[in-house]
Amino acid sequence: MPGSKTGDKKTVLFLCKCSSNISNIVDFEEIKRWAGEKGDTNIAAVSNLLCAPDGKKFFSEVIKKKNVNNIIIAACSPKLHEKTFQDIAEKNNINMSRVRMANIREQCAWVTADKNEATEKAKSLINAAIKRSFLSEDLKRRTMKAYSDVLIIGGGIAGIETARTISKTGRKVYIVEKNITIGGSVMKTEDLAPSMECSPCLMAPILSDVRDDPNIEVLANAEITNILGFFGNFNVTIKEKPRYVEDNCIACEECFKVCPVSVKNEFHYSLGERKAIYTLFPGAVPASAVIDKNICKHFTDNSCDKCVSVCPFGSINFDQEEKTTAINAGSIVISTGFKPGDLAGFPELGHKSINDVYTTYELESLLSTNGPTGGKLKPDDEKIPASAAIIHCAGSMDSRGIPYCSSICCTHAVKAGEMLGKVYPAIRVFNIHNDLVFTDPEEHQFYKKQKAKGTTFIKCFDLSSIKITKTPDDEKIKISGYGFEPISVDIAVLATGFKPADDFKELAKIMDLALDKNGFFRPGHRILHTTASEQDGIYSAGCASKPVNAAAACTQAQAVAGDIMSRLIPGREIELEIFTSFIDEEKCAGCKMCIPACPFKSIYYDPERKISIINEALCRGCGTCTAACPSGSIFARHYTDNEINAEIEGILHG
Amino acid sequence: MADFKPKIVAFLCNWCSYEGADKAGGQKLNYYAGIKIIRVMCSGRVDPYFVLKAFREGADGVMVLGCHPGDCHYRKGNISALKRMRLLEKMIVQFGVERERFMLDWISAGESEKFQKTAEKMTSRILNLGPLKLEGYVKRKAAQ
């Protein structure tokens, strides 16, 4: 074949029959004849199955023996095998950009019935690939140093499990917790459903582990104020609020006894009280107490310093200041937990207006021995409740509250009955529900057991019809709704759902992430990567991307840890995107049109040189900026204007 | 008109629509052979110039297919494409190219049948319109 038209490119055209998948529709003899006549390629080599071991050997031999430097493969989709052949080419010192595939199987042979039409289409697809290949420039594989340390936002069970798993590899892990100690929502209950495992017993050794782990640093009472960078190279700014108590505090609680100020304790859903100097629970990490500046009399009117005089360790320090820390980390994990659904929009359910109406969260807090009342529902009342009604979906599946099903509150509702039964063995329990959602066989078994114990499950087709009432003369609470006879009970429990935590919006803004329609973080992929976020290197675990129970939160945490550990290996550089765009500094007029076009904020303006610059470490190679540039100064590697134009010409004049 | 074999160029994004077209192939969902696909990483890479270039080089119809809004592999490249192509649709009419000769749509990686249907819809549209005829100044410039 004459090679005059091909310039310095020695081009080979591989034609793969794919057994007969392609060759029974596309006429290979005709393609060979046509290619010879066109003279753009120097060699045409036909293989029965190029991706099979024999085929790969043949491929390797041809490019080696014939000394080619430009390869066109007419075969299946490049999405299947372009990398296969690029890798072989690279082993033979041919740059990956010199391997192009023409998709004559999925987009030609398999979708065209007529032999002639398929052959003609194959010709134009091959022609486009050849024409474009003449303009390809070498691509460089680029790597970059990366931090292998990890920063975790939120120290609930998900954050803690991620930290513990990663720290075992010797990397530094930072847990940034908004609250004054880590532990999260799991610490607010006694039992975890459906196994009814004791939650504080489960958490106590885990919290000690974190405390004693030299690789885990806890920054509590702290929040994220800024995040810069990208996968492998994040720089996070953290604001640590002063505790006014030094680290040598062991939480002996002497100061609690003398502190004259009490307020409602938010950690226990405001059901109990705490002092102005307080901890959340015994055995907390960090252990030291915190002074609430807003109510402490030293700060409000400088009238008290009783805690100073009783502290055996001299830990009180009213002069502590806010601390700002900057941390470099390779990846970030969002494990900020959830917020219980509230019932403000549902006055008919009587929450907070009728005594003895609780949410499931409040009930389990009250029934927990580490809760505000030491495990008693009504510490001041000797009367034993004889009956309880538990309302499923309270405040959920309703536009006034949570519009979605949280999928774990049914188990929560069944657990409420189980917990009540433990404290009041003779109690009669009614669960009023519509849908019953259980996410695994154990949860369903838990429900069946509860039923067998005597709990009555009442189906109500429209839970929005439920009304909870009690007049001053009534001894009992009346519950009515469509489809069932009204019942009178001593206590009512509302199984509310799981809402996104309050700080999701702020965090999403700082990290440039999107929230889904329910307000949770959108996963990177709904099936393949539910713990990834839309930003490479930022992960989510626990209730950040959807409501999950503690077991699922731990599984997610370990999945996140595994993914991070496999991608960020200490001492190994990370590979960067190859098809990035770059700006011709001579041509750029500094119009800044490209800056808002970039979905990854990887373009910035240099005011000194009056040009835009692409940070190629952040660029993901979509080429949107290239299309936006009015002066043609941006080049998308491997997808340049010239290459695509050549492909357009090639495909139309094949 | 019976002999009219339209040339249709389709720009498909690597992550959704190109996968959708491949899947259509895997399921042997036939469509008109004159539809020829050019792969780009993102529909946002499609410079409106490429569409004009295709018409100039003899295409009778041009399609740009991307990921569904909200599903873009690059977060919002397809939204950039949407904005540009809406403007382009208005411009091509001024060049004497009927608006229907251009199509922007969203095909996910799983929507092989939608790809086939969209391809057939475009084919019948172009068959109805007949070959692209550029006239006057545009014709002279295109010939250069």
Side-chain angles (χ1 to χ4, degrees), chain A residues 51 55 87 129 147 166 235 253 301 354 425 463 533 541 560 573:
Chain A
C51 65
D87 287 349
Y147 295 104
I166 295 175
N235 182 273
E253 304 190 358
D301 57 10
I354 300 173
L463 287 170
S533 76
V560 167
E573 299 202 332

Side-chain angles (χ1 to χ4, degrees), chain A residues 77-79 82 103 106-107 110-113 117 121 124 512-513 522 526 534 579 596 599-600 620-624 626-628 636 639-641 644-645 647-649 651-653, chain B residues 7 9 11 14-15 18-19 21-22 24-26 28-31 33 35-42 44-47 49-50 53-54 57 59 70-71 74-77 80 84:
Chain A
S77 170
K79 304 220 48 152
E82 199 160 57
N103 187 343
E106 280 83 349
Q107 296 179 7
W110 279 352
V111 289
T112 315
E117 282 182 2
K121 184 174 185 180
S124 53
D512 193 25
L513 290 172
R522 274 176 62 142
R526 288 186 192 92
E534 288 188 327
F579 302 146
F600 301 98
R620 300 269 288 272
C622 64
T624 304
T626 313
Y639 288 89
T640 61
D641 285 357
I644 296 175
N645 284 332
E647 194 165 346
I648 296 170
E649 287 169 24
I651 219 162
L652 286 166
H653 306 300
Chain B
K7 290 180 173 181
V9 174
F11 294 95
N14 183 54
W15 306 98
Y18 194 89
E19 288 262 8
D22 272 359
K28 317 271 166 83
L29 302 175
N30 283 4
Y31 54 90
I35 292 187
K36 289 159 191 174
I37 294 166
I38 292 178
R39 179 166 68 129
V40 285
M41 292 310 279
C42 177
R45 173 67 190 96
V46 182
D47 193 320
Y49 175 79
F50 297 155
K53 163 93 179 166
E57 295 294 335
D71 275 346
Y74 303 105
R75 311 177 86 186
K76 54 168 199 179
S80 289
R84 288 173 196 146

